[in-house]
Amino acid sequence: MDRRDVNPLVAATEAPPIAEAWRWVEGRSFPADKPLIDLCQAVPGYPPADALTAHLAEQVRAPDTARYTAIDGIPPLTAALARRTGSLYGAGHGAEVAAGEVLITAGCNQAFAVAVMGLARAGDNVILPAPWYFNHKMTLDMLGIEARPLALREEHGLIPDPAEAERLIDAGTRALVLISPNNPTGAIASPEAIAALYELCERRGVTLLLDETYRDFPDWEGRAPHGLFQRPGWQRTLVQLYSFSKVYSLAGYRVGAVIADAGLLSQARKVMDCLAICAPHVGQKAALFGLENLDGWVAEKRGDILARVHAFQSAMEASGTGYRIASIGAYFAYVRHPFAGKRAHEVAEGLARDHNILCLPGSMFGPGQDDYLRFAFANVDAAVMPEIARRLVESER
């Protein structure tokens, strides 16, 4: 092997799917009566709160904003996120999280990488429900960690079946990944379903790696998303990942978090120090301002996103289209296309080419997904949903 060759693990990893999809429409112009509808990437369709941008305009003038923070993050932010986590998941009922159990990262993708590098080594395996979030799979591939697919089934609501998961566990299994609300499916695991997976992991000595990037958008109707932080010794089993990117429209500021056992985080700091030293200081200040000041704004945007969910469902039902929603929630709809035997990639590329709808094929999310498409509708107004359904009907002719 020529020493100048690239790392074969990186070379064998798939190309970034979002960039590939955008190449389908690169260089094209779109008529005013049929503009491009971008349902490709999960980004908020609205800017940050005015109060937040005004706050940041002041903070960029502060000398400390240009400096490194502690590897863990700024202490007010780690403390505030610890308090919010305890409150959301049942403070007063045993759900206590310490600031020392929080590590701030440059986005949730980095949170996943930091956590996985702290948990597993090349040759180990991580159980990854399929369809999976492609960046999780790409990270594992580049690290030489086996991504062991756990098939998600419509009859189970696209939620992992603990019995099927247990059959995949062996001596090399280090973690089971769960995203709820899910990317790409939008499926929301019930507290009971999450508890069952936690209990499996606890019993088998495996970490439950729970990504809750989209937890701020469902209406939980007064319930906690789950009760895991109330369990004695949750630190032995649970690692939670979180992102501020969606809730405060801060995707470009790159700020996320890992909440885990302090001992694991002491090792994760080594990884963080080498990857980024610390999350961007300005992003951390933005996240702290959001936690302390923007609960009302977040509630308003939650209502907006829920309206988009309902509008998409209603438009699809009213249109009579053969495209069928398999699961929907938060930012995503996972949709079964009506073209039996046709590859999802071909369907998605055809929608982009002929109908100016940009979405992702299910095949980008793992094996057995060629019947599906992912629609990320958070950046599309509710008023646009009937036009999406109309174009889908048009594509069937």
Side-chain angles (χ1 to χ4, degrees):
M1 175 179 174
D2 192 313
R3 286 179 296 173
R4 294 169 296 180
D5 288 345
V6 299
N7 181 340
L9 294 176
V10 176
T13 299
E14 64 184 291
I18 299 292
E20 179 185 344
W22 273 104
R23 282 195 288 272
W24 301 340
V25 297
E26 190 174 16
R28 286 181 51 191
S29 58
F30 301 93
D33 63 341
K34 199 172 184 180
L36 179 69
I37 300 177
D38 174 18
L39 302 166
C40 177
Q41 191 167 24
V43 292
Y46 44 81
D50 290 343
L52 176 53
T53 55
H55 174 71
L56 291 181
E58 298 174 357
Q59 292 304 311
V60 294
R61 297 186 182 95
D64 72 312
T65 304
R67 298 175 185 150
Y68 293 130
T69 75
I71 296 172
D72 304 77
I74 57 175
L77 178 57
T78 58
L81 183 56
R83 287 193 301 271
R84 175 59 59 90
T85 304
S87 175
L88 177 63
Y89 294 95
H93 299 282
E96 302 296 337
V97 176
E101 294 166 334
V102 177
L103 171 66
I104 302 300
T105 60
C108 201
N109 274 359
Q110 189 179 84
F112 180 82
V114 167
V116 163
M117 290 176 73
L119 288 167
R121 59 186 175 181
D124 290 339
N125 71 77
V126 169
I127 297 173
L128 209 56
W132 51 52
Y133 174 44
F134 42 72
N135 285 141
H136 287 174
K137 172 64 160 51
M138 292 167 69
T139 298
L140 295 173
D141 287 347
M142 288 187 283
L143 293 171
I145 299 168
E146 177 194 353
R148 189 162 288 184
L150 170 61
L152 299 182
R153 310 182 193 283
E154 283 193 51
E155 58 266 30
H156 296 153
L158 296 177
I159 302 299
D161 179 2
E164 292 189 28
E166 183 158 22
R167 285 193 285 271
L168 297 176
I169 295 173
D170 62 19
T173 304
R174 301 294 294 144
L176 165 64
V177 174
L178 176 65
I179 309 174
S180 182
N182 188 261
N183 178 6
T185 69
I188 300 172
S190 68
E192 295 76 19
I194 294 174
L197 292 167
Y198 175 92
E199 288 161 7
L200 165 64
C201 290
E202 184 179 45
R203 177 164 49 82
R204 296 299 303 270
V206 171
T207 295
L208 177 62
L209 194 53
L210 178 57
D211 183 335
E212 295 189 86
T213 292
Y214 301 94
R215 75 168 185 214
D216 300 286
F217 298 100
D219 180 0
W220 298 107
E221 299 179 343
R223 297 181 73 188
H226 56 78
L228 301 189
F229 286 108
Q230 298 179 29
R231 295 186 177 231
W234 63 262
Q235 296 89 342
R236 292 192 300 273
T237 302
L238 176 65
V239 172
Q240 187 205 50
L241 310 181
Y242 182 62
S243 173
F244 298 94
S245 297
K246 308 303 189 291
V247 63
Y248 301 128
S249 294
L250 294 174
Y253 287 85
R254 310 313 303 135
V255 56
V258 182
I259 296 179
D261 173 66
L264 173 62
L265 292 189
S266 71
Q267 303 306 314
R269 286 189 201 100
K270 302 174 186 176
V271 180
M272 185 67 189
D273 190 42
C274 292
L275 291 179
I277 298 178
C278 63
H281 200 154
V282 68
Q284 295 189 55
K285 287 188 171 184
L288 177 61
F289 183 89
L291 284 172
E292 292 181 340
N293 298 280
L294 295 182
D295 286 357
W297 184 87
V298 169
E300 176 188 332
K301 297 308 178 186
R302 179 184 304 116
D304 185 11
I305 294 298
L306 286 168
R308 298 180 197 207
V309 170
H310 298 318
F312 187 84
Q313 288 177 305
S314 298
M316 294 289 282
E317 291 169 3
S319 70
T321 178
Y323 291 82
R324 183 174 60 79
I325 297 173
S327 187
I328 189 170
Y331 270 40
F332 307 105
Y334 207 55
V335 175
R336 181 183 283 271
H337 68 72
F339 307 107
K342 201 169 186 179
R343 293 174 55 244
H345 191 285
E346 184 181 354
V347 176
E349 194 167 359
L351 287 173
R353 180 186 62 245
D354 301 327
H355 302 283
N356 301 347
I357 289 179
L358 191 62
C359 64
L360 295 185
S363 51
M364 288 181 170
F365 301 96
Q369 304 304 310
D370 258 323
D371 292 335
Y372 299 95
L373 306 170
R374 189 196 78 172
F375 293 83
F377 49 73
N379 61 334
V380 178
D381 289 340
V384 178
M385 304 307 179
E387 175 62 12
I388 296 170
R390 188 196 68 77
R391 293 190 199 182
L392 293 178
V393 169
E394 185 179 82
S395 76
E396 298 173 67
R397 295 175 184 149

